[in-house]
Amino acid sequence: MARITASVYTSHVPAIGAAMDLGKTQEPYWQPLFQGYDFSRQWMKDNKPDVIFLVYNDHATAFSLDCIPTFAIGTAAEYQPADEGWGPRPVPKVVGHPELASHIAQSVIQQDFDLTIVNKMDVDHGLTVPLSLMCGEQDPKSGSWPCPVIPFAVNVVQYPVPSGQRCFNLGRAIRKAIESYDEDINVHIWGTGGMSHQLQGARAGLINKEWDNQFLDLLIENPSGLARMPHIDYVREAGSEGIELVMWLIARGAMYDVDSPAPLPKVAHRFYHVPASNTAVGHLILENQ
């Protein structure tokens, strides 16, 4: 059967992608952030998955106010980097895994989660920045990402957004779906977005280091309790865009200790940095034991 061996959690700040694309990673402002991912890039080489199931949110690129799916799974063979107003990022296209994606859609829908199935879409910085951080710079013409990627878009932009508990339970359903896939493959599940930040209003620029690190602690040690946190706590403590962190609960819900007597996942790497374009950057790698 297929198996989830690890989960990765990371912010997907668009300015991080721009810093990489413009060759600014060694500048004093950016160098400490990128050093925090040096371990992760080597870890990716040493623990290369066969498929990445990548949870992110679309930023009005593939979807708009005309159509806002709560959960959307990409089942296409490939995805082009989106033009977000200044041209597509100079990164390779994303190769999909239609067979596994379709299997997950079938299984998760039969477990009573409604998914929107997307057979064609472009992917924005929410998906490509995490890939760049974990895999390094790639030539857009001759390069490629290390493995196929299944995009899974979550609405955390327009209310109502899904609860942390629903995202956590969805992660459990995704794990069951992957484990029921016949092919013997190694899958990583990534949760992206966050951490604390607010981009508008009187609290623009808000960063809450203490709350962010407490979130990381709970994500590792008590994800079931964290899943019960109401939306208002995210908004109050982590800013209006801090609600993106519910996507991390999807990845955490897919780990083996959640509904079994298995031990807590191994923390392979943990990193936190502020600021990156007025955003707190959090990063975590967990390995199933």
Side-chain angles (χ1 to χ4, degrees):
M1 68 178 186
R3 63 204 181 280
I4 295 174
T5 57
S7 54
V8 173
Y9 311 81
T10 183
S11 303
H12 59 215
V13 184
I16 292 175
M20 296 183 71
D21 300 341
L22 298 174
K24 296 184 176 183
T25 59
Q26 297 306 309
E27 292 184 359
Y29 180 85
W30 290 108
Q31 190 176 37
L33 183 145
F34 287 104
Q35 285 178 341
Y37 287 83
D38 286 345
F39 173 92
S40 307
R41 294 182 182 184
Q42 185 59 50
W43 179 88
M44 274 293 292
K45 294 176 182 178
D46 297 338
N47 298 273
K48 180 183 173 182
D50 297 307
V51 183
I52 296 169
F53 186 93
L54 201 154
V55 183
Y56 74 109
N57 65 285
D58 176 75
H59 301 80
T61 300
F63 309 110
S64 70
L65 293 180
D66 293 337
C67 179
I68 311 172
T70 300
F71 301 117
I73 186 168
T75 55
E78 62 181 46
Y79 309 88
Q80 295 295 332
D83 184 345
E84 299 180 64
W86 49 87
R89 288 193 62 214
V91 294
K93 68 181 180 182
V94 176
V95 175
H97 197 299
E99 296 81 12
L100 179 58
S102 297
H103 172 84
I104 292 171
Q106 165 77 15
S107 175
V108 170
I109 290 172
Q110 290 298 312
Q111 293 178 67
D112 299 329
F113 284 90
D114 295 326
L115 303 184
T116 298
I117 297 171
V118 185
N119 294 312
K120 181 180 180 181
M121 67 174 173
D122 293 342
V123 289
D124 66 18
H125 71 268
L127 185 136
T128 63
V129 166
L131 287 173
S132 293
L133 280 169
M134 295 295 295
C135 307
E137 290 87 349
Q138 306 289 330
D139 188 290
K141 295 182 179 179
S142 60
S144 61
W145 301 114
C147 66
V149 177
I150 297 174
F152 192 85
V154 180
N155 170 41
V156 290
V157 175
Q158 179 67 43
Y159 275 82
V161 305
S163 68
Q165 186 67 63
R166 185 157 179 79
C167 288
F168 189 62
N169 292 341
L170 175 58
R172 291 171 166 170
I174 290 169
R175 187 183 78 217
K176 292 177 182 177
I178 290 172
E179 289 179 343
S180 67
Y181 189 65
D182 287 339
E183 189 177 350
D184 184 18
I185 56 174
N186 169 22
V187 180
H188 288 179
I189 183 166
W190 295 13
T192 73
M195 294 190 86
S196 63
H197 63 300
Q198 180 153 325
L199 303 180
Q200 71 290 308
R203 297 199 306 164
L206 179 147
I207 290 177
N208 189 338
K209 297 180 183 179
E210 181 179 357
W211 190 91
D212 286 338
N213 280 287
Q214 183 183 47
F215 184 95
L216 291 172
D217 291 340
L218 292 172
L219 190 70
I220 297 166
E221 300 169 3
N222 185 18
S224 297
L226 184 59
R228 294 191 290 272
M229 182 185 295
H231 284 162
I232 190 62
D233 287 7
Y234 288 90
V235 176
R236 181 191 300 114
E237 302 295 338
S240 54
E241 278 69 45
I243 193 64
E244 291 178 352
L245 286 167
V246 297
M247 295 187 290
W248 293 29
L249 287 165
I250 296 177
R252 187 63 181 88
M255 298 298 280
Y256 290 153
D257 69 307
V258 170
D259 48 12
S260 73
L264 287 174
K266 174 187 174 183
V267 179
H269 185 53
R270 177 171 173 170
F271 174 67
Y272 182 79
H273 175 79
V274 293
S277 184
N278 295 320
T279 305
V281 172
H283 176 38
L284 192 64
I285 299 174
L286 299 181
E287 297 175 348
N288 271 324
Q289 299 192 74

